[in-house]
Amino acid sequence: MDSFMIEAVVVGLACAALVASTMVLSRRMLTQDVGVQDQSNVTMVFHGDVLIDADDRVWPLLSEPRGAPTWDDIRLALRPMVPELPDQLCTFERGTRSSELMLAMSQNDETTRIVLQRPPATDDDWLATMQTNAFGAWMKSAVAHAPDLIWCLNKESDFVWGNNSFTQQAATHGGPSAFAEKIRQEVIELEDQRVKRVKLTSPDGRPSKDRWLEVTVKQTDTGLIYFASGIDAVIQAESAQQTFVQTLSKTFANLTTGLAIFDRDRRLVLFNPALVDLSRVPIEFLSARPAMFEFFDKLRDYQIMPEPKSYDDWRERMAKLVAAASDDRFRETWTLSSGQTFDVTGQPYPDGAIAFLFNDISAEVSLTRGLRTELDVLQSVIDTMEDAVAVFDSQGILTVCNTAYGSLWNVDPEACIPETTIVEATQSWKSAFHPSPVWPELRDFVTRSTERVSWDSELRSKDGREAVCRIDPICHGATLIRFCHSSKQRDTQPEVDGLQIVSA
């Protein structure tokens, strides 16, 4: 155990001696001359590609690298001043020169020393000066070639400097001084860092060549700096949008459907005159951009909505209405005490807006009700007839039949009407009678589109009684078919009941 500890101590001392010798060597390399004895030179020492020591003026040039600085970090920091530096330290050429700056290199095993020698006729802080000059040249070039307009005025509002974009624009507006003064007058009330749009009228008076600028002003200790960017595309887009909105507004104004559009905050942002006419809500109220609940409250006050049983039920219904409209599920028919009927639809939009459409369908409802009444009267009339009556349309579909027909053929009139065809009906009819050639002719007559006349055919049921099938063409290509007793049988046996169907 003791020998092991002695060996560990010896190894530790040897490592410490090696580190100390390396530090001494690097310091010695920093202080040794390479061609020129000048303490203002800047020296850097690398072990491989890693910077292990350097002049104090080098470290501020570096950003904060991860771990120890490498040749890549140094190369990036010095590139503005020495663009000729190689990508790899091993390819560094001795005596590299960049403008007036001389770089010397010496190597010792894996250690490399790079010396930046002081240019003639420079101050002691020449490295910082060169860095400032290099970055200043880049910044000046960037500002001069910026696509946006940049220019400066002194404290007396005199033009001092402008970049290339400003100079090109000023050439068509009386020169730099006149153009700068024109913009200054346009934005004279503009506060620091605020933005204002300025219109530049074309010198030849053609509106198509007018330009728009968005101007920003920055107050500095030496005067004012102006920044201006072209917004012609933005202005054109806004103009197109405004034209589109105006077109929509004119279209909405001519609609008979009431339209109410609410934004994502559920406030009324657009309505048309038809909504005012249908709802009788004052236009001043609608123009004030009411909230959605306020709008429907007002409709309820004007009895444009069905009256709820309670206010709580009303609020719950409104919440469901908004949710349904947001999912494109809202459609209701409002029957009002005044006799009016409204069809109300809610439609969502991708930006969160909701549109409600109000259609007055009172006339359609009244017409439908009148038609329904007429149909009921017609049905009652044919139900009083003793004959079995059926009406087929031009396509051969059963459309009307009476109670006697249902009793005769043992069918439900309401259920069989939309499902029975003339082919199916004749198949059922001929099973109750003795064979007759009338059935194919009847099927052909019902679907025939040429001129038709009334006709009839005598039939004999399988129980021996006689009957007459009467066929009459009626309007719109339909056909009326009646089954009745023959006239001879009516005279001799008036007391006989209707046909007795015998299964085939």
Side-chain angles (χ1 to χ4, degrees):
M1 181 64 66
D2 293 338
S3 61
F4 177 77
M5 292 180 62
I6 293 173
E7 290 178 359
V9 171
V10 171
V11 172
L13 292 175
C15 292
L18 178 60
V19 172
S21 62
T22 301
M23 294 298 295
V24 170
L25 177 60
S26 66
R27 290 298 180 183
R28 184 178 301 167
M29 294 181 68
L30 279 172
T31 56
Q32 286 178 349
D33 295 337
V34 178
V36 179
Q37 289 283 351
D38 193 337
Q39 294 299 324
S40 63
N41 292 343
V42 176
T43 306
M44 297 170 287
V45 179
F46 294 86
H47 183 76
D49 281 346
V50 179
L51 181 67
I52 59 174
D53 205 349
D55 189 277
D56 291 339
R57 287 170 289 182
V58 173
W59 303 107
L61 301 179
L62 301 173
S63 58
E64 296 183 2
R66 298 177 181 177
T70 64
W71 171 248
D72 286 338
D73 300 321
I74 295 297
R75 183 173 55 85
L76 292 176
L78 298 179
R79 175 173 286 176
M81 296 171 286
V82 192
E84 297 85 356
L85 289 177
D87 293 340
Q88 302 294 330
L89 183 59
C90 60
T91 60
F92 194 94
E93 297 182 2
R94 300 174 182 270
T96 300
R97 177 178 294 274
S98 175
S99 300
E100 297 181 353
L101 183 62
M102 184 69 181
L103 290 89
M105 184 267 288
S106 61
Q107 289 182 321
N108 184 1
D109 295 331
E110 295 184 359
T111 305
T112 303
R113 186 174 73 157
I114 304 295
V115 179
L116 282 67
Q117 297 181 2
R118 173 180 178 174
T122 56
D123 56 20
D124 291 339
D125 199 12
W126 60 270
L127 184 61
T129 302
M130 288 189 67
Q131 184 189 29
T132 301
N133 293 340
F135 280 104
W138 280 101
M139 292 177 63
K140 182 178 179 180
S141 178
V143 173
H145 294 90
D148 292 341
L149 283 65
I150 304 175
W151 69 100
C152 304
L153 304 182
N154 60 20
K155 291 184 177 180
E156 289 73 31
S157 300
D158 297 326
F159 174 74
V160 176
W161 174 87
N163 67 349
N164 296 345
S165 298
F166 174 83
T167 303
Q168 293 174 5
Q169 188 65 51
T172 59
H173 292 275
S177 297
F179 183 56
E181 178 62 19
K182 172 182 174 61
I183 300 297
R184 190 184 73 85
Q185 292 295 333
E186 291 282 350
V187 299
I188 194 169
E189 78 285 358
L190 194 63
E191 298 180 3
D192 191 31
Q193 292 292 1
R194 296 296 178 89
V195 177
K196 183 177 181 179
R197 293 180 174 182
V198 176
K199 182 179 180 180
L200 301 180
T201 305
S202 175
D204 57 9
R206 288 191 290 179
S208 60
K209 290 189 175 182
D210 292 347
R211 285 203 61 192
W212 282 88
L213 298 178
E214 196 169 66
V215 182
T216 305
V217 182
K218 176 63 178 177
Q219 180 77 44
T220 67
D221 295 336
T222 57
L224 297 174
I225 302 178
Y226 288 79
F227 305 89
S229 57
I231 56 171
D232 295 337
V234 176
I235 296 298
Q236 292 174 3
E238 291 178 350
S239 177
Q241 182 183 27
Q242 184 178 8
T243 302
F244 180 69
V245 171
Q246 290 175 351
T247 302
L248 286 181
S249 299
K250 293 178 181 178
T251 303
F252 293 157
N254 295 322
L255 289 177
T256 58
T257 300
L259 179 67
I261 299 180
F262 296 85
D263 60 15
R264 66 176 62 189
D265 297 325
R266 301 298 181 259
R267 288 202 166 272
L268 183 65
V269 293
L270 182 64
F271 64 93
N272 65 343
L275 181 67
V276 181
D277 297 337
L278 292 174
S279 66
R280 302 188 299 276
V281 174
I283 193 171
E284 294 80 7
F285 172 80
L286 299 176
S287 301
R289 299 187 63 197
M292 184 181 296
F293 284 132
E294 295 175 354
F295 171 76
F296 284 105
D297 278 339
K298 185 65 69 173
L299 291 185
R300 190 190 63 160
D301 293 341
Y302 279 79
Q303 297 182 346
I304 303 302
M305 294 187 68
E307 185 66 27
K309 296 181 180 179
S310 67
Y311 191 77
D312 292 338
D313 292 341
W314 162 255
R315 279 304 190 188
E316 183 179 355
R317 180 186 176 191
M318 285 298 96
K320 293 180 179 179
L321 180 149
V322 173
S326 301
D327 295 336
D328 199 15
R329 295 181 291 105
F330 177 76
R331 182 163 191 174
E332 290 186 355
T333 300
W334 294 349
T335 302
L336 310 180
S337 58
S338 62
Q340 285 181 295
T341 304
F342 286 162
D343 177 59
V344 185
T345 305
Q347 297 181 352
Y349 289 89
D351 60 352
I354 297 178
F356 287 94
L357 288 79
F358 298 82
N359 285 301
D360 187 352
I361 58 172
S362 304
E364 291 86 341
V365 171
S366 177
L367 180 62
T368 302
R369 289 172 180 170
L371 180 61
R372 182 71 259 175
T373 300
E374 292 180 3
L375 291 175
D376 290 342
V377 171
L378 174 62
Q379 187 68 46
S380 298
V381 170
I382 65 173
D383 282 342
T384 61
M385 298 174 63
E386 294 182 0
D387 296 340
V389 177
V391 177
F392 292 84
D393 62 15
S394 59
Q395 303 299 319
I397 306 298
L398 179 65
T399 58
V400 178
C401 65
N402 64 351
T403 304
Y405 179 89
S407 299
L408 176 63
W409 302 111
N410 194 27
V411 295
D412 182 1
E414 294 185 359
C416 71
I417 282 179
E419 300 177 355
T420 304
T421 66
I422 187 62
V423 175
E424 295 169 341
T426 53
Q427 292 291 337
S428 175
W429 298 342
K430 73 178 183 178
S431 65
F433 297 98
H434 288 289
S436 173
V438 70
W439 309 119
E441 185 178 353
L442 176 58
R443 287 194 293 267
D444 181 63
F445 183 87
V446 168
T447 57
R448 186 184 307 164
S449 59
T450 57
E451 184 177 355
R452 304 180 301 167
V453 295
S454 299
W455 58 285
D456 56 42
S457 177
E458 294 185 355
L459 303 172
R460 180 179 295 277
S461 65
K462 293 187 176 181
D463 62 0
R465 291 184 297 168
E466 294 182 353
V468 176
C469 179
R470 179 74 180 177
I471 300 97
D472 296 299
I474 56 178
C475 62
H476 303 300
T479 303
L480 174 67
I481 301 176
R482 292 179 293 165
F483 292 93
C484 55
H485 299 291
S486 65
S487 57
K488 179 179 178 180
Q489 191 172 3
R490 288 179 183 271
D491 294 338
T492 58
Q493 297 179 347
E495 74 285 353
V496 177
D497 295 335
L499 290 173
Q500 298 297 317
I501 305 302
V502 178
S503 300

